[in-house]
Amino acid sequence: MSKRALITGITGQDGSYLAEHLLSLGYEVHGLVRRVALEQPQQRLGRLRNCLEDIHIHPSNLDSYASVFHVLSKNRFDECYHLAAQSFVAESFSDGFSTMATNINGTHYILAALQELQPDCRFYFAGSSEMFGKVRETPQREATPFHPRSPYGVSKVAGFHLTVNYREAYGMYCCNGILFNHESPRRGFEFVTRKITYGVARIKSGLASELRLGNLEAKRDWGHARDYVKAMHLMLQQPKPDDYVIATGETHSVRELCEFAFSEVGLDYRDYVRIDQTVFRPAEVDLLIGDASKARNVLNWEPRVNFVGLVEEMVQSDMKLISAGNEKDMPREVATPVG
Ligand code: G4F
């Protein structure tokens, strides 16, 4: 009998890679999807184009306990990967209320419904290095205290503690992945990596003449999403539930990212990047670098793609996207990058 997994946020970057990974391992894969996504499958289910035929989609709304309860009362799962969230940090400053409501309640609804209906289902929560925020030690590890710097970070700290609480209070198998930034050609256009690689491709192709960015000095530990979803799966295969940092252990500034990405197509970023004060955040996370020794030792997990490989892959992919003339087929919110 193959195992059955439920993925919330299956239409996103991580959800789509995780679905492909679990299918390759012989899983029956199910996903929760907002009903509106089914009305625009071309755009909203685009990242699932390689596996849409092989997965089971359930329309559901994570803002409603009844909706989550309904799906879990009709289908049994061995594993649940809760990835759905409002995950853009800048947006959480514009509307902290909806970020907190979606991220905290959504997590709580899933955990409460699982406890009621299928307490043996193993649960993964997508925690984040944003929880470390104003970092208390470097590199950051599982024992590093949290000091979130945005409503998004606060919502992830709440989700983290909810997950630990269901593990301790009800003996459920619940894990937190504390994932550092992870990117890919499937990354949303509002995040800085994709904004830069897509901007580079547009400039190189003569479609744009500049790229407006905010804080170039922020440092992040950037890995590849395809590597990171494998760690999510490994966490749920252990004898005991636990929490793990997933990171490369390398940190680079946004400025270095620009340097690498522009040089990939033979350009100098200083000729094109303009500083835009409106993109700076009210509170910044200055430096993230993770220590993933525990994941290496316990899960036998290692990242395969490093920073340079990641940037190369993303720039080349965006160059292809533009040269194939696919830009006009992209949904409007994607064709006009923000952030
Ligand atoms: O790409 P970002 O928007 O990612 P951020 O804020 O680090 O969050 C991402 O990683 C987290 C894991 O640590 C996830 F939990 C979260 O969901 C998300 O995936 O920004 C990265 C850095 C920031 O310091 C930002 O201020 O880039 C800086 N930046 C500079 N100019 C910019 C820009 N960020 C964006 N999005 N757009 C800019 O123009």
Side-chain angles (χ1 to χ4, degrees):
M1 280 278 283
S2 58
K3 280 195 195 171
R4 300 177 103 203
L6 176 67
I7 305 175
T8 75
I10 195 169
T11 58
Q13 166 188 261
D14 294 4
S16 63
Y17 281 121
L18 180 62
E20 289 169 14
H21 181 55
L22 295 179
L23 286 169
S24 78
L25 298 174
Y27 274 69
E28 184 179 306
V29 175
H30 295 242
L32 291 192
V33 170
R34 267 182 256 150
R35 193 169 288 281
V36 65
L38 303 177
E39 289 161 15
Q40 295 173 302
Q42 290 286 71
Q43 289 101 330
R44 309 244 185 184
L45 305 182
R47 294 185 180 97
L48 294 171
R49 67 172 69 83
N50 299 338
C51 63
L52 199 50
E53 304 278 283
D54 304 319
I55 60 181
H56 305 259
I57 294 289
H58 304 275
S60 180
N61 178 0
L62 280 175
D63 295 333
S64 152
Y65 180 69
S67 174
V68 172
F69 190 91
H70 178 74
V71 174
L72 290 174
S73 65
K74 299 254 179 284
N75 305 272
R76 295 206 68 77
F77 300 105
D78 299 293
E79 296 169 11
C80 172
Y81 297 86
H82 177 42
L83 313 183
Q86 192 302 96
S87 63
F88 187 35
V89 174
E91 167 62 20
S92 83
F93 283 109
S94 310
D95 185 359
F97 296 98
S98 71
T99 300
M100 299 283 263
T102 303
N103 293 4
I104 300 177
N105 293 342
T107 305
H108 201 180
Y109 294 156
I110 300 254
L111 280 164
L114 283 175
Q115 190 232 334
E116 179 79 19
L117 299 166
Q118 348 190 356
D120 292 335
C121 175
R122 295 186 169 203
F123 177 81
Y124 170 87
F125 175 65
S128 160
S129 51
E130 275 292 304
M131 300 188 299
F132 297 123
K134 194 172 165 64
V135 299
R136 306 273 182 89
E137 67 176 336
T138 295
Q140 296 82 49
R141 58 199 171 106
E142 290 79 5
T144 304
F146 297 144
H147 185 145
R149 296 272 281 171
S150 62
Y152 169 82
V154 173
S155 77
K156 285 289 174 179
V157 171
F160 176 95
H161 287 304
L162 276 168
T163 302
V164 173
N165 188 241
Y166 272 76
R167 182 164 78 209
E168 293 177 352
Y170 306 111
M172 290 167 64
Y173 190 112
C174 298
C175 296
N176 283 293
I178 307 175
L179 270 56
F180 282 62
N181 296 52
H182 45 288
E183 321 289 316
S184 75
R186 296 185 193 173
R187 190 52 147 150
F189 289 77
E190 66 274 38
F191 297 93
V192 80
T193 49
R194 190 74 196 276
K195 184 171 171 183
I196 292 171
T197 62
Y198 187 61
V200 164
R202 280 174 58 84
I203 289 170
K204 182 69 182 175
S205 312
L207 296 171
S209 54
E210 63 172 30
L211 177 60
R212 302 184 80 79
L213 295 171
N215 181 8
L216 299 190
E217 309 316 326
K219 289 184 156 178
R220 291 290 183 276
D221 179 333
W222 280 292
H224 199 298
R226 204 190 301 109
D227 286 340
Y228 285 35
V229 300
K230 292 180 184 160
M232 297 175 186
H233 171 254
L234 288 170
M235 283 179 217
L236 297 198
Q237 314 311 311
Q238 305 308 309
K240 285 192 182 151
D242 208 342
D243 308 321
Y244 299 89
V245 159
I246 301 299
T248 67
E250 234 187 277
T251 194
H252 294 276
S253 64
V254 175
R255 185 183 296 282
E256 285 173 277
L257 174 56
C258 290
E259 232 173 88
F260 274 104
F262 277 89
S263 69
E264 179 64 18
V265 295
L267 300 177
D268 184 333
Y269 81 98
R270 290 171 295 190
D271 296 333
Y272 303 97
V273 170
R274 304 284 170 262
I275 301 302
D276 182 343
Q277 293 299 330
T278 65
V279 187
F280 280 71
R281 296 172 183 178
E284 178 63 281
V285 172
D286 296 320
L287 164 71
L288 290 175
I289 176 165
D291 173 359
S293 320
K294 182 173 168 185
R296 228 177 6 254
N297 296 334
V298 180
L299 306 178
N300 203 14
W301 176 85
E302 288 275 3
R304 292 205 177 151
V305 181
N306 65 9
F307 176 73
V308 174
L310 173 70
V311 177
E312 273 170 18
E313 183 183 331
M314 291 180 70
V315 171
Q316 291 310 332
S317 167
D318 280 332
M319 287 299 295
K320 271 196 209 126
L321 185 75
I322 286 178
S323 65
N326 287 342
E327 234 198 347
K328 63 179 174 6
D329 297 329
M330 294 194 313
R332 270 193 41 224
E333 70 269 25
V334 158
T336 317
V338 291

